[in-house]
Amino acid sequence: MSRNMKEEMSMELTYHRKGDYLFPNLTIEETEVNIGKYGMLRRTFLKEHKNSLYQSLLLTGKLNRHLEEIEKAALERLEIQMKKLLEQNSAPSKEVNPMEWTAHMNSLTAIVEESILTELVYS
């Protein structure tokens, strides 16, 4: 092993004393991100059904970035698919019949969310 590789691989640890014991000061460097509905659903799914992947992402500091990517992809897909569905199934006039418009939009949103949850969040 070259000297540079040895220097890169060696870490300098600091410790703190608790009673008679020394504990290493270990922290995970991960930036805080605001995740929305889909990111939180993904985190819960990973925690409950794919715990080893969840632990790996958490311990390597990649969990928040992963959740942020899922959230971003889900919102982009929601926007694109809603536009396509509205082109195929035009909504009734919101001013003339707001309840019918709301029911129509909720129906389309449910269709799109089902595919997002299946393909992105719960996979």
Side-chain angles (χ1 to χ4, degrees):
M1 210 182 281
S2 70
R3 182 175 178 203
N4 288 342
M5 283 188 76
K6 286 181 183 177
E7 288 175 5
E8 287 178 18
M9 291 179 64
S10 68
M11 291 190 289
E12 192 172 316
L13 291 176
T14 58
Y15 297 87
H16 67 276
R17 182 177 297 277
K18 203 168 205 179
D20 292 336
Y21 301 99
L22 289 174
F23 292 95
N25 295 323
L26 301 175
T27 59
I28 297 173
E29 298 295 325
E30 189 170 23
T31 58
E32 283 295 318
V33 294
N34 290 328
I35 57 169
K37 171 184 176 179
Y38 302 106
M40 288 188 280
L41 288 171
R42 177 69 174 172
R43 180 177 49 212
T44 302
F45 172 76
L46 290 174
K47 218 181 226 186
E48 293 176 359
H49 300 284
K50 303 220 177 208
N51 197 273
S52 60
L53 176 58
Y54 173 79
Q55 293 296 326
S56 174
L57 290 170
L58 180 66
L59 293 174
T60 57
K62 297 177 183 175
L63 180 63
N64 284 343
R65 186 171 20 145
H66 173 74
L67 298 176
E68 186 178 37
E69 288 170 4
I70 292 292
E71 181 72 23
K72 183 180 176 185
L75 292 175
E76 286 174 2
R77 190 175 289 191
L78 178 69
E79 184 179 334
I80 291 167
Q81 288 184 356
M82 282 297 288
K83 284 181 184 177
K84 286 181 183 177
L85 282 176
L86 280 170
E87 288 172 4
Q88 296 169 357
N89 307 303
S90 59
S93 172
K94 187 176 182 180
E95 291 78 26
V96 174
N97 196 341
M99 293 301 286
E100 191 175 323
W101 179 87
T102 302
H104 182 76
M105 295 304 284
N106 285 344
S107 174
L108 296 181
T109 302
I111 292 168
V112 174
E113 277 200 334
E114 183 178 345
S115 76
I116 290 171
L117 293 176
T118 302
E119 296 171 12
L120 286 176
V121 176
Y122 301 136
S123 62

